[in-house]
């Protein structure tokens, strides 16, 4: 009997140790370094393919997922693109071969919210070689530099992801016109996704000499897939729900004008990404559409932004439970996660740059069946602020 008690004590202790929170500051630092290394590898090898003329958006974005590991999303196109100053012409071409560039003309002032897909026969002819080069550099990063991301356990994974529904190869993410509209554009490969993944245990085996580099490279799993709308109908529906909920006419805090993107991860669940805003500058004043007020100074605007934060957080949790329960493609042990890039509030002490909300499928299922209350379900949401 004592042995049984001791066993369960040690088992529980191990679970508690595994469940302990990581050193967030250290993880953020490691991810920043990893992003820089991957961007450098891709940029040196493929400067013809990872190019956005006139924009400084970061090429990659990483996230730590407690039950999975690390996902690094490559946000840039695999094809050279240039955009003129008034946003009226977008050219897709072959690097320096400007004469072969294909142009798509967009009348100024006629831009529509959402993703505009550009066709290019050049992209189709070159995409396989381009993607093969991208995969080779990503595998090099995982095997030779993946160990730079500390605090992961052997069962964790590190994945590099490009394309798919979650990242429609944005030419730019946050261009705003005078009316406050935000627009994003995408290349023809928006529905094509590549994932390059390795287990942390394989990285450690290589680092510690148990397997050679060729063996480590062979353990990297590469998946090329096409987006299948039939399989993710409920995810598309949830994305559309949040897009509508956070339009400026319905939201009473922050609002969004961009598409809510998502990606599914095997053995983890689904990650949704969205960006929220708070105001539009008009003639020296700051208009806050959701509350119908204008402020004369940036300080007054920031005060309003800070005041809206508690209400936004509470309502988002409520929406996550109420509408998240409609998703049927998440297993009870999988996670529904929303990663929200917050509106700017420079100089606002304690205001987060991003907020991540995570809830298990089992919680959503229990709430949907009436087994737990909304309040109890909300307490099960994990919140991470950066």
């Amino acid at each position: 009997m004592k042995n049984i008690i001791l066993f369960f004590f040690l088992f529980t202790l191990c679970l508690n140790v595994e469940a302990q929170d990581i050193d967030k500051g250290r993880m953020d630092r490691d991810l920043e370094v990893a992003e820089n290394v991957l961007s450098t590898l891709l940029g040196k090898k493929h400067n013809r393919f990872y190019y956005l003329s006139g924009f400084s958006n970061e090429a990659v974005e990483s996230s730590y997922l407690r039950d999975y590991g690390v996902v690094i999303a490559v946000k840039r196109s695999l094809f050279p693109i240039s955009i003129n100053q008034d946003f009226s012409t977008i050219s897709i071409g072959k690097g320096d071969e400007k004469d072969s560039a294909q142009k798509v003309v967009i009348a100024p002032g006629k831009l529509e919210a959402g993703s505009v897909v550009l066709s290019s026969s050049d992209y189709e002819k070159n995409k396989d070689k381009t993607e093969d080069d991208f995969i080779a550099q990503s595998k090099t990063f995982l095997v030779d530099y993946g160990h730079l991301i500390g605090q992961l356990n052997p069962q964790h994974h590190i994945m590099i992801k490009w394309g798919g529904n979650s990242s429609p190869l944005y030419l730019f993410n946050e261009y705003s016109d005078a009316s406050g509209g935000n627009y994003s554009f995408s290349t023809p490969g928006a529905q094509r996704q590549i994932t390059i993944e390795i287990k942390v245990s394989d990285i450690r085996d290589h680092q510690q000499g148990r397997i050679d580099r060729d063996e480590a490279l062979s353990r990297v799993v590469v998946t090329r897939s096409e987006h299948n709308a039939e399989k993710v109908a409920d995810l598309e529906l949830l994305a559309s729900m949040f897009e509508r909920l956070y339009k400026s006419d319905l939201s009473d805090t922050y609002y969004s004008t961009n598409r809510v993107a998502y990606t599914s991860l095997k053995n983890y669940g689904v990650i949704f990404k969205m960006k929220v805003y708070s105001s539009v500058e008009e003639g020296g004043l700051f208009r806050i559409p959701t509350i119908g007020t204008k402020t004369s100074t940036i300080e007054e605007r920031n005060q309003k932004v800070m005041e809206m934060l508690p209400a936004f957080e509470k309502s988002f949790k409520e929406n996550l439970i109420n509408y998240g329960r409609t998703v049927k493609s998440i297993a009870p042990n999988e996670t529904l996660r929303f990663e929200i890039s917050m509106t700017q509030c420079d100089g606002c002490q304690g205001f987060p740059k991003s907020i991540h909300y995570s809830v298990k499928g089992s919680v959503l299922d229990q709430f949907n069946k009436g087994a737990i209350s909304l309040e109890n379900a909300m307490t099960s949401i994990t919140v991470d602020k950066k």
Side-chain angles (χ1 to χ4, degrees):
M1 185 65 181
K2 290 182 178 178
N3 289 338
I4 294 176
I5 294 174
L6 178 60
F7 171 80
F8 278 106
F9 172 77
L10 293 175
F11 179 73
T12 302
L13 179 61
C14 290
L15 287 179
N16 288 337
V17 170
E18 177 67 23
Q20 285 179 353
D21 289 335
I22 62 167
D23 182 331
K24 185 173 177 297
R26 179 183 167 195
M27 178 58 72
D28 289 345
R29 180 200 64 194
D30 288 352
L31 293 181
E32 287 282 349
V33 172
E35 290 174 7
N36 182 264
V37 172
L38 181 58
S39 295
T40 301
L41 285 173
L42 295 176
K44 284 184 177 180
K45 181 67 177 178
H46 308 296
N47 59 343
R48 290 175 57 200
F49 301 115
Y50 299 87
Y51 174 70
L52 292 179
S53 177
F55 295 89
S56 60
N57 296 45
E58 294 299 325
V60 298
E61 179 182 78
S62 58
S63 299
Y64 166 71
L65 308 177
R66 181 172 181 168
D67 298 327
Y68 181 83
V70 169
V71 176
I72 305 175
V74 176
K75 301 189 293 181
R76 290 191 176 183
S77 170
L78 298 186
F79 213 82
I81 296 160
S82 62
I83 306 172
N84 69 344
Q85 290 297 317
D86 64 0
F87 300 96
S88 63
T89 306
I90 299 175
S91 302
I92 302 179
K94 298 178 180 178
D96 296 329
E97 301 176 29
K98 295 181 180 178
D99 292 340
S100 68
Q102 194 170 11
K103 294 185 178 181
V104 177
V105 179
I106 301 174
K110 300 296 185 181
L111 299 176
E112 295 182 357
S115 181
V116 178
V117 180
L118 309 176
S119 61
S120 170
S121 58
D122 283 336
Y123 178 88
E124 293 299 323
K125 288 187 292 185
N126 290 277
K127 71 179 180 182
D128 288 338
K129 182 181 183 303
T130 302
E131 291 172 3
D132 286 343
D133 290 341
F134 169 74
I135 289 169
Q137 288 302 306
S138 296
K139 292 174 75 171
T140 294
F141 168 82
L142 291 174
V143 170
D144 295 340
Y145 302 99
H147 66 280
L148 296 175
I149 305 174
Q151 303 185 82
L152 300 178
N153 66 52
Q155 299 306 309
H156 273 141
H157 298 75
I158 301 177
M159 174 191 285
I160 299 172
K161 180 178 68 65
W162 170 83
N165 183 277
S166 62
S167 52
L169 312 185
Y170 292 126
L171 307 189
F172 53 89
N173 291 331
E174 298 177 15
Y175 164 65
S176 300
D177 66 11
S179 66
N182 292 269
Y183 308 103
S184 59
F185 296 79
S186 61
T187 68
Q191 298 301 306
R192 188 175 174 93
Q193 177 170 289
I194 303 173
T195 59
I196 306 101
E197 179 181 10
I198 193 171
K199 288 185 68 173
V200 171
S201 59
D202 293 328
I203 296 175
R204 292 183 181 175
D205 284 346
H206 171 52
Q207 287 299 117
Q208 297 170 12
R210 289 190 286 271
I211 60 174
D212 62 22
R213 188 172 186 275
D214 287 340
E215 175 62 22
L217 287 170
S218 72
R219 296 187 184 184
V220 178
V221 178
V222 178
T223 305
R224 300 185 198 227
S225 61
E226 299 292 338
H227 174 62
N228 187 335
E230 292 182 358
K231 292 185 178 180
V232 292
D234 58 344
L235 303 182
E236 290 282 354
L237 182 60
L238 185 63
S240 69
M241 289 178 183
F242 274 81
E243 287 170 14
R244 187 64 190 96
L245 284 168
Y246 287 92
K247 293 293 185 184
S248 59
D249 62 328
L250 283 188
S251 176
D252 55 7
T253 55
Y254 313 128
Y255 65 97
S256 179
T257 59
N258 295 334
R259 191 181 190 283
V260 175
Y262 64 86
T263 189
S264 299
L265 292 181
K266 185 178 180 180
N267 300 321
Y268 177 79
V270 184
I271 302 172
F272 286 80
K273 291 179 180 287
M274 61 185 293
K275 167 74 177 179
V276 296
Y277 304 88
S278 60
S279 62
V280 180
E281 185 174 4
E282 297 177 342
L285 299 177
F286 297 90
R287 179 172 61 89
I288 304 177
T290 56
I291 59 177
T293 64
K294 291 185 178 181
T295 61
S296 58
T297 67
I298 188 65
E299 290 78 16
E300 292 176 352
R301 176 260 187 197
N302 287 351
Q303 182 179 347
K304 293 290 185 182
V305 172
M306 289 288 289
E307 290 173 354
M308 289 191 290
L309 182 59
F312 170 78
E313 293 186 85
K314 182 177 183 295
S315 65
F316 197 91
K317 286 183 177 181
E318 292 174 346
N319 290 333
L320 180 57
I321 299 298
N322 279 319
Y323 297 97
R325 62 175 165 169
T326 64
V327 176
K328 306 303 181 184
S329 57
I330 297 178
N333 64 332
E334 292 184 328
T335 300
L336 175 61
R337 179 181 175 94
F338 267 79
E339 297 183 353
I340 306 168
S341 296
M342 298 297 289
T343 182
Q344 287 187 338
C345 194
D346 296 335
C348 299
Q349 187 173 1
F351 192 85
K353 292 183 178 179
S354 65
I355 306 178
H356 299 169
Y357 296 96
S358 303
V359 64
K360 288 292 186 182
S362 57
V363 174
L364 298 172
D365 184 58
Q366 286 179 302
F367 174 70
N368 192 46
K369 293 177 179 177
I372 58 175
S373 67
L374 175 61
E375 290 72 22
N376 286 337
M378 288 171 59
T379 61
S380 298
I381 297 175
T382 300
V383 182
D384 180 28
K385 299 180 183 181
K386 293 185 179 181

